[in-house]
Amino acid sequence: MSGDLGKKRKYRRVSGCQCRIMIASVLAGAWLLSTLRQRPLDTTLPPGVNSGVWVAQDALPRDLDVPELREGASVSQADCSRLAVSLGMRAGVLEEKRAGEGRGRCQLLPMKYPYKLSRARKDGFRMVLLKNESAKCLDGTPGGFLIKQGDPRKWMVHLQGGGWCVSEADCLERSGQGVPCPADADMWGSETSMGSSRCWPRMGLPPMDGGGGGIFSADPETNPTFYNYTKVWVMYCDGGSYSGSRAPPVVARGGEKLFFRGRHILESVVGELLEDHALAAADVLMLKGTSAGGLGVLLAADWVRQAVPARVAVAALVD
């Protein structure tokens, strides 16, 4: 018999925080699998529209001929967003954007995609715009968050994702300055919602990052561990993973101002939750984020731990 077999095995104790993170990861994975199995939208395209445009079968007229949508066309985010509004689409975003150029193929998202506020209003989330005047989106409008009250002792704060802007031109387009809001106020807007709060609906979750599904779900059958948490969705509008703290704005070539205040937004959200929404009375707080929001969690988790009362158990979940 080998001498190793007679040795007493050592087991590593798993903390309560680690257990919660593992449970959340399993539930999030289950939600992702169920989402991937859902039937996709019909993506049949009208003739003459390039393959980079994602539309429903009947979203556009069959005889439509728009120069910006022809094969090989390359447009700016601002022009793509304006085109979406003019055609009555929900949003226009760039696909395969060339790094540093801020131009690419215009991708239209149809109104039939489930962004309607009439559906989202049922989830009970309401918008709160930040009072701190230094907590600004890229275009200088106030940052904000969505909140739904649940168990006052259990809290979950989600940092919304959405990529990054990597140049002055890219950030200017993301800020949406000069781009009209969607005609239907019940719709979440185009990429302007990632750089400005002026077009945000005042109720209802946006459906990115899983929306109200997964561990954000209020259904006790599908989400038995977290269904009754007080939930906060921090809107992402700084383009830099909630990390910017530059005091003076960057002045673009056209005179537009760009504000990089993501850290101010995050700190203001936590401050207002503590002062106005009873976060200080919590027993447990889960800070989570997806994509750019996940990086925001990595950058801010230690600060959040220090900002809330010491007795609050804080967990961080990065997606």
Side-chain angles (χ1 to χ4, degrees):
M1 179 181 291
S2 171
D4 290 341
L5 294 179
K7 293 181 180 179
K8 186 177 181 180
R9 295 185 179 181
K10 296 181 179 180
Y11 295 90
R12 182 168 60 89
R13 179 174 295 176
V14 178
S15 68
C17 174
Q18 290 172 316
C19 285
R20 285 191 291 271
I21 292 176
M22 287 189 288
I23 292 172
S25 299
V26 171
L27 291 173
W31 167 82
L32 178 60
L33 287 175
S34 66
T35 300
L36 292 175
R37 290 171 182 162
Q38 292 178 2
R39 184 179 179 182
L41 288 175
D42 185 349
T43 56
T44 305
L45 302 177
V49 176
N50 82 54
S51 59
V53 181
W54 180 51
V55 294
Q57 184 174 2
D58 58 347
L60 294 173
R62 288 284 173 176
D63 58 351
L64 179 71
D65 183 21
V66 179
E68 292 89 343
L69 300 182
R70 291 174 183 168
E71 191 70 39
S74 179
V75 302
S76 68
Q77 176 61 62
D79 288 341
C80 185
S81 297
R82 292 190 186 98
L83 178 63
V85 172
S86 68
L87 293 175
M89 306 297 284
R90 181 188 61 77
V93 297
L94 296 187
E95 182 183 54
E96 297 184 1
K97 183 164 53 177
R98 299 184 182 91
E101 295 184 15
R103 301 178 68 84
R105 296 191 300 181
C106 185
Q107 180 185 40
L108 298 181
L109 306 185
M111 284 296 188
K112 68 191 306 180
Y113 195 69
Y115 271 46
K116 269 194 173 295
L117 183 60
S118 58
R119 175 175 175 174
R121 182 174 288 124
K122 298 178 182 179
D123 62 25
F125 283 86
R126 62 183 180 85
M127 178 69 71
V128 177
L129 296 179
L130 297 172
K131 297 179 290 186
N132 184 354
E133 294 184 358
S134 70
K136 299 178 182 292
C137 298
L138 280 170
D139 70 337
T141 54
F145 60 90
L146 292 151
I147 185 170
K148 179 182 180 180
Q149 295 292 339
D151 189 329
R153 301 167 301 167
K154 302 175 182 179
W155 285 69
M156 183 182 296
V157 175
H158 174 73
L159 303 188
Q160 178 186 314
W164 304 270
C165 58
V166 296
S167 67
E168 179 184 296
D170 194 17
C171 292
L172 182 59
E173 289 177 354
R174 191 182 184 96
S175 73
Q177 297 183 55
V179 177
C181 293
D184 185 346
D186 281 356
M187 291 290 177
W188 281 101
S190 64
E191 194 172 350
T192 59
S193 66
M194 296 288 188
S196 172
S197 63
R198 63 187 174 84
C199 298
W200 291 348
R202 294 301 183 250
M203 295 180 69
L205 283 179
M208 63 276 289
D209 298 357
I215 62 174
F216 239 60
S217 172
D219 184 349
E221 293 187 4
T222 60
N223 186 27
T225 304
F226 306 106
Y227 76 95
N228 63 341
Y229 272 47
T230 292
K231 298 183 177 75
V232 175
W233 181 291
V234 183
M235 297 296 296
Y236 181 43
C237 66
D238 70 284
S241 286
Y242 308 88
S243 63
S245 59
R246 178 186 172 95
V250 172
V251 181
R253 294 181 180 180
E256 303 92 341
K257 294 181 179 180
L258 294 170
F259 296 83
F260 295 93
R261 305 278 185 82
R263 184 65 178 217
H264 295 241
I265 291 174
L266 180 56
E267 292 184 359
S268 296
V269 167
V270 174
E272 291 197 18
L273 292 177
L274 288 168
E275 295 177 8
D276 301 336
H277 299 277
L279 174 58
D283 292 333
V284 60
L285 166 64
M286 175 181 285
L287 178 68
K288 63 185 273 305
T290 297
S291 187
L295 177 56
V297 170
L298 290 174
L299 296 174
D302 288 341
W303 177 84
V304 172
R305 166 65 281 177
Q306 296 299 319
V308 301
R311 62 174 183 76
V312 180
V314 179
L317 175 63
V318 176
D319 177 12

